Amino acid sequence: MIVTGIDPGLARLGYGVIRVDRGSTVPVCYGCIETPAGTRPAERLLAIYTGLQSLFDRYPPDALAMEKLFFSRNITSAMGVSEVRGIVLLAAEQRQIPVTEYTPNQIKQAITGSGRADKAQVQQMITRLLHLDEVPQPDDAADGLSIALCHIHVMR
């Protein structure tokens, strides 16, 4: 089974792809789909959509997990993230990939055992649990992996 985790963002969408094989979790790939500032919003959304299609073509997921949008003080930023979430949901629905959403606290709880863990604690646990040599960079890619791993833990 392949699970893709998505940390939605307009400037940088983080993703992590994990394969579950006979009970073991194996990181397949992680990274970001980035869009340059100053680009028209519709152009940025198209770039994200195209990047997701390419990712799904290369590693067809059986499930997709995404971080839920939480209240943001910056309304403009929250609206952009909402639009990206719509693109992710559309791309997944077109391929009939089931989507599950998790709050940041649910992700932290599943990875570290504490919903109050900080970003560094989550990243260290991801590194250990997935037997990586170093903390995944950038942070958005590490978040994508943590979201995918959260889904795997919840489904067990």
Side-chain angles (χ1 to χ4, degrees), residues 40-63:
R40 292 181 308 109
E43 210 173 330
R44 292 176 98 173
L45 294 172
L46 178 60
I48 290 167
Y49 177 80
T50 304
L52 285 171
Q53 293 296 339
S54 177
L55 181 66
F56 294 167
D57 285 343
R58 189 158 185 193
Y59 306 105
D62 298 294

Side-chain angles (χ1 to χ4, degrees), residues 18-130:
I18 298 176
R19 185 178 72 245
V20 179
D21 189 17
R22 297 185 188 136
S24 66
T25 54
V26 179
V28 175
C29 74
Y30 56 87
C32 293
I33 299 170
E34 297 186 49
T35 64
T39 307
R40 292 181 308 109
E43 210 173 330
R44 292 176 98 173
L45 294 172
L46 178 60
I48 290 167
Y49 177 80
T50 304
L52 285 171
Q53 293 296 339
S54 177
L55 181 66
F56 294 167
D57 285 343
R58 189 158 185 193
Y59 306 105
D62 298 294
L64 189 140
M66 183 167 47
E67 186 174 71
K68 279 186 182 176
L69 179 62
F70 59 95
F71 179 77
S72 175
R73 290 188 180 143
N74 184 339
I75 300 301
T76 303
S77 174
M79 289 180 65
V81 173
S82 292
E83 291 170 344
V84 171
R85 287 173 40 79
I87 293 297
V88 173
L89 293 170
L90 170 65
E93 185 63 26
Q94 285 179 324
R95 294 177 185 236
Q96 298 179 327
I97 303 165
V99 177
T100 307
E101 299 178 77
Y102 298 97
T103 66
N105 286 350
Q106 288 174 309
I107 296 163
K108 292 173 187 178
Q109 177 71 37
I111 301 303
T112 68
S114 170
R116 297 182 142 195
D118 64 25
K119 190 174 276 290
Q121 290 171 309
V122 173
Q123 290 174 345
Q124 285 302 317
M125 284 302 294
I126 287 296
T127 304
R128 280 190 213 140
L129 293 169
L130 295 176

